[in-house]
Amino acid sequence: MDDDTRFKDLTLPEDEPWMSYGFISKIAAQVSLPYRKPKGGVKEIERRNGSLVVRYVSGADCLPYGKYPRLFELWACTMIKTDDPCFDPETNTLHLGTTFREFLRLIGVNVGGKSLHTIKPQLERLFKCVYIISNNTETTSQGINFTVAEKYQIDWLRNEPQSHGLFENWVQLSQRYVDMLRDHPVPVDLKVIARLRKPMAIDVYWWPTKRVYNLRERVTITWQQLYRQFGSDSELKEFKRKFKLAVAEVVEVHPCRITLGPQRVTVFPNQTSVPTVTQTRAVERKRAAAPSPAPARAGESERKPRESIEAHWIEIAGWGEVWMTSELFDVGPARAHLEGSVDSVSCPVRAFDERNRALHGYIQESLF
């Protein structure tokens, strides 16, 4: 599917452990699977986001729902995007390990017997699910249909590893599903996802994570639009209550900029959840271009404590860095400086040191 979102390569800090960052499909970042088992035996639902329409059709007893199908797609997308050896691109086979518990450890799920009985049917439902995706305009029609998996073999109860080749758990994904996962996936922070409890909170984190990649100005969405996009097992009033709780859960671990009004929700430009190569190199270039401050004259450091040797780079999570002393640092002016919401003449952070001048309004400049 065509998409007007332009993603850049992911920057992985050298000191981050393997799989600190992952990827999700751009479809999962725009529309959602059910959160609970659909009532009344419903085996087909539709989600809308602008002109994008995704219809999920069950090939099992019901549609996949809850946390585990989302975690599987996150893991599958990450393995495919990073060319992990557990994925064979020639056959589109994703190897889950010699025990299913080994696979669950890879996606950060501690599972016992009760959890296993929940996970097993959820993934079987996902493997059998049909995606019908369309993106139509008044003059053109564009669509694609596919089932998630073509074949799979999983011993759900095996606990002890077997010799390689004797028995392995695997799922052979359909080519169209693999294409969807490969098509401009969205980088996400797994440390954030690990701290989110509810499946709606996971969706709420994914949604603005994709949104800010091409967001220059704030965007407003009606509650009715969000209701069609995320769906719910309840009426609009209850959906609004649950969505607000999900946003509160996300904000606790990730500084996304969202305001919730009585009629509309507003998303503001923000630093991306995972820094892109473009953003990282832009900061490096600006730092390199910024002139070094002139050496302090004798006794001047006492008269101007802002230029004391205690100044250092202070990180504002999800926003960037400022050069400041801990004593003078204030997160509010620092954020206003980085997003350029205060003019350069009256910005105290910019005036503090020449290092900050090159980064004034950096967030606005780095979003496409």
Side-chain angles (χ1 to χ4, degrees):
M1 301 296 296
D2 292 338
D3 192 275
D4 60 0
T5 304
R6 292 176 292 163
F7 294 99
K8 303 298 182 181
D9 292 334
L10 179 68
T11 297
L12 295 177
E14 294 181 356
D15 58 346
E16 290 290 342
W18 178 74
M19 282 191 72
S20 289
Y21 297 126
F23 294 88
I24 58 157
S25 73
K26 66 181 184 183
I27 297 297
Q30 297 180 83
V31 294
S32 67
L33 289 165
Y35 300 113
R36 294 184 178 182
K37 186 175 181 178
K39 298 178 181 179
V42 173
K43 302 183 72 172
E44 181 176 331
I45 61 169
E46 183 178 280
R47 298 288 186 255
R48 290 178 174 269
N49 186 346
S51 62
L52 174 68
V53 179
V54 180
R55 187 179 296 273
Y56 299 103
V57 181
S58 171
D61 62 320
C62 73
L63 288 162
Y65 62 90
K67 189 174 184 177
Y68 297 116
R70 289 165 168 82
L71 292 179
F72 177 87
E73 184 165 305
L74 163 70
W75 184 74
C77 189
T78 302
M79 296 300 97
I80 292 170
K81 171 65 177 177
T82 57
D83 296 321
D84 190 274
C86 73
F87 177 70
D88 183 356
E90 293 187 1
T91 62
N92 290 331
T93 300
L94 191 59
H95 296 275
L96 309 183
T98 55
T99 74
F100 186 64
R101 286 174 173 81
E102 180 181 340
F103 157 66
L104 294 176
R105 285 193 294 270
L106 286 175
I107 61 173
V109 176
N110 295 320
V111 61
K114 184 177 180 180
S115 298
L116 186 62
H117 288 299
T118 301
I119 296 170
K120 174 182 180 295
Q122 291 290 27
L123 294 193
E124 288 179 340
R125 291 164 183 151
L126 178 64
F127 297 158
K128 298 175 183 178
C129 186
V130 176
Y131 286 46
I132 302 174
I133 305 173
S134 61
N135 199 348
N136 300 334
T137 67
E138 293 182 358
T139 58
T140 61
S141 296
Q142 184 182 23
I144 188 171
N145 313 321
F146 55 82
T147 304
V148 170
E150 295 182 354
K151 296 171 61 178
Y152 53 91
Q153 173 179 285
I154 301 175
D155 187 335
W156 303 94
L157 300 178
R158 188 184 299 274
N159 192 29
E160 296 300 323
Q162 303 295 303
S163 300
H164 181 73
L166 181 61
F167 184 91
E168 290 189 1
N169 296 307
W170 52 266
V171 54
Q172 186 177 21
L173 305 173
S174 69
Q175 182 62 56
R176 295 297 189 185
Y177 183 70
V178 172
D179 291 342
M180 182 195 76
L181 298 182
R182 279 201 178 115
D183 184 17
H184 298 94
V186 181
V188 293
D189 190 336
L190 296 184
K191 299 186 294 295
V192 172
I193 294 173
R195 296 174 64 184
L196 299 177
R197 302 178 298 277
K198 301 293 186 180
M200 181 178 280
I202 294 175
D203 288 347
V204 167
Y205 166 62
W206 288 351
W207 168 57
T209 296
K210 177 184 184 300
R211 240 2 199 123
V212 299
Y213 269 88
N214 63 347
L215 191 62
R216 292 184 178 275
E217 299 179 352
R218 67 182 183 181
V219 61
T220 301
I221 308 100
T222 67
W223 281 108
Q224 190 64 46
Q225 288 173 313
L226 286 176
Y227 187 69
R228 291 195 297 266
Q229 178 178 342
F230 288 93
S232 181
D233 55 358
S234 55
E235 298 298 324
L236 178 60
K237 181 178 179 180
E238 181 65 9
F239 167 76
K240 292 170 67 174
R241 186 188 71 83
K242 292 180 179 179
F243 190 88
K244 290 175 181 178
L245 292 174
V247 170
E249 184 177 342
V250 173
V251 170
E252 286 183 1
V253 295
H254 174 65
C256 56
R257 303 180 62 208
I258 300 176
T259 60
L260 306 173
Q263 303 297 329
R264 296 172 177 82
V265 174
T266 303
V267 180
F268 294 85
N270 193 12
Q271 182 74 303
T272 55
S273 178
V274 176
T276 64
V277 169
T278 299
Q279 293 170 344
T280 302
R281 288 175 180 171
V283 172
E284 293 173 348
R285 286 195 299 268
K286 288 187 175 184
R287 285 183 181 176
S292 300
R297 298 174 183 175
E300 189 175 5
S301 59
E302 291 143 5
R303 296 193 303 273
K304 299 181 180 180
R306 68 183 187 182
E307 295 178 15
S308 71
I309 59 173
E310 296 179 2
H312 57 283
W313 289 108
I314 300 177
E315 181 180 3
I316 302 94
W319 293 72
E321 294 178 315
V322 297
W323 181 266
M324 185 71 66
T325 65
S326 298
E327 182 180 4
L328 297 177
F329 174 74
D330 188 323
V331 67
R335 288 179 173 177
H337 158 71
L338 290 170
E339 70 177 353
S341 60
V342 59
D343 65 87
S344 59
V345 176
S346 58
C347 178
V349 178
R350 184 180 185 277
F352 176 83
D353 191 275
E354 292 186 11
R355 293 174 177 85
N356 292 330
R357 295 179 187 176
L359 298 175
H360 183 76
Y362 156 68
I363 290 180
Q364 287 186 343
E365 297 172 4
S366 64
L367 295 173
F368 334 115

